[in-house]
Amino acid sequence: MLEIGERPWGKYFVLADEPNYKLKRIEVNAGQRLSYQYHQHRQEFWTIVEGNAIITLDDKELSLSYVESIFIPQGAKHRIENKTSDVLVFIEVQAGTYLGEEDSIRLQDDYER
């Protein structure tokens, strides 16, 4: 494990961190969601590996469950939410010219960050 990050909504584990991609395992606690955000320098690909997710992508909602995936284009507004009583786990592959946390531009955040 290269890095473990605690967040108000759950935690993430960085599994690989290379110059042109980053791989994370992300856990979203029951009833929690990440901020509605976008990235200027990267795209993301999410695959659900445990639980059920509600994804908001450019103001449209859809549901994903085990082994379903979604592509998040660079600049697209997005959020993942766990409306269940179980932990949601997904794998995130980031690719782009800059992969730092500072590239997350929050539009709405339940935790006022």
Side-chain angles (χ1 to χ4, degrees):
M1 209 71 49
L2 298 176
E3 175 186 347
I4 298 173
E6 299 280 341
R7 295 290 185 263
W9 44 258
K11 60 181 140 180
Y12 68 86
F13 304 85
V14 176
L15 306 174
D17 192 355
E18 300 297 328
N20 59 345
Y21 77 92
K22 186 181 283 190
L23 177 65
K24 288 183 176 180
R25 179 183 190 272
I26 300 175
E27 298 178 357
V28 184
N29 293 333
Q32 301 299 309
R33 64 185 183 172
L34 281 65
S35 61
Y36 192 48
Q37 60 186 290
Y38 67 94
H39 310 289
Q40 295 179 318
H41 303 284
R42 71 174 185 250
Q43 61 187 20
E44 297 176 344
F45 191 84
W46 297 345
T47 300
I48 307 303
V49 294
E50 192 175 317
N52 296 291
I54 301 297
I55 310 292
T56 305
L57 182 60
D58 284 330
D59 300 322
K60 296 178 186 162
E61 278 194 5
L62 62 142
S63 298
L64 291 182
S65 57
Y66 178 67
V67 301
E68 293 184 308
S69 299
I70 189 167
F71 174 65
I72 312 293
Q74 182 175 318
K77 296 176 287 182
H78 60 281
R79 159 183 276 161
I80 191 166
E81 183 173 359
N82 181 2
K83 290 186 176 182
T84 74
S85 58
D86 298 313
V87 172
L88 164 67
V89 181
F90 68 102
I91 301 301
E92 176 181 270
V93 179
Q94 304 174 0
T97 58
Y98 178 70
L99 306 173
E101 293 297 316
E102 300 81 19
D103 188 35
S104 296
I105 294 98
R106 292 186 179 97
L107 303 170
Q108 182 184 18
D109 185 48
D110 295 345
Y111 313 103
E112 299 179 9
R113 292 173 291 166

